[in-house]
Amino acid sequence: MGTPEFAVGTLERLVNEGYNVVAVVTQPDKPVGRHQDTLQPPAVKVFATEHNIPVLQPVKMKDEAFVEALRAYDADIFVVVAFRMLPEVVWAMPRFGTFNVHAALLPQYRGAAPINWAVINGETQTGVTTFFLDHDIDTGRIILKKTFDIADDYNVEDVYDGLMKLGADIAVETLEKVIATDGNVETIAQEDTLTDEEFENLKPAPKIFRETCEINWQQPCKKIYDFIRGLSPVPGAWTTLVQGEKQTVMKIYKASKTGQSCSQYKPGDVLIEGKQFLIATADNFLSIDVLQLQGKKRTEARDFINGFRVVDDLHRNSSVVCFVR
């Protein structure tokens, strides 16, 4: 059970390892295009169809026809990767239960966007966890964990790719344990993996919306740097570029820490120094490397600077040419 490319990594591994994948459950095809008149199948459906695996696409997980169709496959176990919350009538159906591959080290980062939030929060390590589903979101008993190091220059795509492979590894290892123990695999309660104080201060991973992605320039440079890479390449951190009366939404996909103090400038002030596009934060300048203005193509900052129109009475070097907010 899964929808995006992240889930395909595990499905492909199960097929290649010779497991009898009797069916796939995924989201309905999504309308795309200007007029929403083209249906785009989920990545999991595309892979399943190419490998002649039956596909179920329920609108509602409690739909009686879907539940009966699912029960008819008589599966021993359900494997869930990047899918929606399941009702008990579904997750309790197979004799070995239902386990989820979650892209974080539970109980930290429960929720819909664990990879994004781990990078946004500047974590140096994350991982994947398998756990048996229960009535709440990402709270079930843990089966296995595997760690993954986050380098300081990794963005979400880098971590996503690494965890997709690691998720496939842990799914197979979990299945082997479940089969070897005839479903009586050893598990541990999530609250027993942390101290009481740590468990009371868990970091969540809620769904990300457009307003979540707006940059707050009043924060320190490092925090903004992590925020940008935690949303790159999708959905992309954004800000508003202000040039006189003109305001343009600008997405930032890559930035660099400079270590250069900006104490004489206000957070959000923009400076052009040579080929550097600098923005003042709460402490140091952040150098913008890759950006995209609304309605334009993504571009490197040096190319953007070449076409940048500066007000006549402002100099390119060491002068505020505009600001962001």
Side-chain angles (χ1 to χ4, degrees), residues 130-168:
T130 52
F131 67 96
F132 283 115
L133 265 63
D134 61 13
H135 293 94
D136 296 312
I137 298 176
D138 301 333
T139 59
R141 294 182 66 86
I142 291 172
I143 308 166
L144 287 173
K145 287 185 183 183
K146 287 184 178 292
T147 60
F148 179 85
D149 292 334
I150 305 175
D152 186 60
D153 61 346
Y154 279 8
N155 64 12
V156 162
E157 189 171 49
D158 297 317
V159 182
Y160 184 101
D161 290 345
L163 293 186
M164 183 166 63
K165 180 181 182 302
L166 200 62

Side-chain angles (χ1 to χ4, degrees), residues 233 235-239 241 248-254 277 288-301 304:
W238 63 272
T239 188
L241 181 67
T248 310
V249 171
M250 179 174 69
K251 283 191 174 184
I252 300 175
Y253 293 97
K254 187 177 181 182
F277 182 13
I288 308 306
D289 300 328
V290 180
L291 59 92
Q292 183 178 20
L293 293 182
Q294 188 173 21
K296 304 292 184 180
K297 293 182 178 180
R298 191 179 308 189
T299 182
E300 293 192 12
F304 171 78

Side-chain angles (χ1 to χ4, degrees), residues 134-313:
D134 61 13
H135 293 94
D136 296 312
I137 298 176
D138 301 333
T139 59
R141 294 182 66 86
I142 291 172
I143 308 166
L144 287 173
K145 287 185 183 183
K146 287 184 178 292
T147 60
F148 179 85
D149 292 334
I150 305 175
D152 186 60
D153 61 346
Y154 279 8
N155 64 12
V156 162
E157 189 171 49
D158 297 317
V159 182
Y160 184 101
D161 290 345
L163 293 186
M164 183 166 63
K165 180 181 182 302
L166 200 62
D169 292 342
I170 201 172
V172 169
E173 192 172 333
T174 299
L175 277 173
E176 290 174 349
K177 284 183 173 292
V178 171
I179 293 167
T181 59
D182 198 33
N184 297 309
V185 62
E186 184 177 351
T187 61
I188 184 171
Q190 292 191 23
E191 57 268 27
D192 293 339
T193 64
L194 299 174
T195 66
D196 290 344
E197 183 178 353
E198 288 172 333
F199 197 77
E200 289 296 320
N201 295 281
L202 295 178
K203 298 174 184 177
K207 187 175 181 179
I208 290 175
F209 299 95
R210 183 181 183 277
E211 56 270 24
T212 311
C213 304
E214 184 175 11
I215 300 169
N216 176 8
W217 296 101
Q218 303 292 330
Q219 299 178 101
C221 181
K222 174 64 164 65
K223 193 166 184 64
I224 298 172
Y225 169 78
D226 291 336
F227 186 79
I228 291 169
R229 64 193 184 100
L231 295 168
S232 179
V234 176
W238 63 272
T239 188
T240 303
L241 181 67
V242 181
Q243 300 169 262
E245 298 297 317
K246 184 179 180 181
Q247 298 187 14
T248 310
V249 171
M250 179 174 69
K251 283 191 174 184
I252 300 175
Y253 293 97
K254 187 177 181 182
S256 303
K257 297 169 289 181
T258 66
Q260 179 183 347
S261 175
C262 59
S263 56
Q264 68 272 42
Y265 298 97
K266 300 192 299 280
D269 282 351
V270 175
L271 278 79
I272 306 298
E273 288 191 342
K275 293 297 182 181
Q276 278 193 303
F277 182 13
L278 304 173
I279 301 180
T281 70
D283 50 11
N284 297 324
F285 279 112
L286 185 71
S287 177
I288 308 306
D289 300 328
V290 180
L291 59 92
Q292 183 178 20
L293 293 182
Q294 188 173 21
K296 304 292 184 180
K297 293 182 178 180
R298 191 179 308 189
T299 182
E300 293 192 12
R302 63 175 178 268
D303 296 325
F304 171 78
I305 291 170
N306 289 336
F308 194 73
R309 295 182 178 179
V310 185
V311 180
D312 291 340
D313 59 349

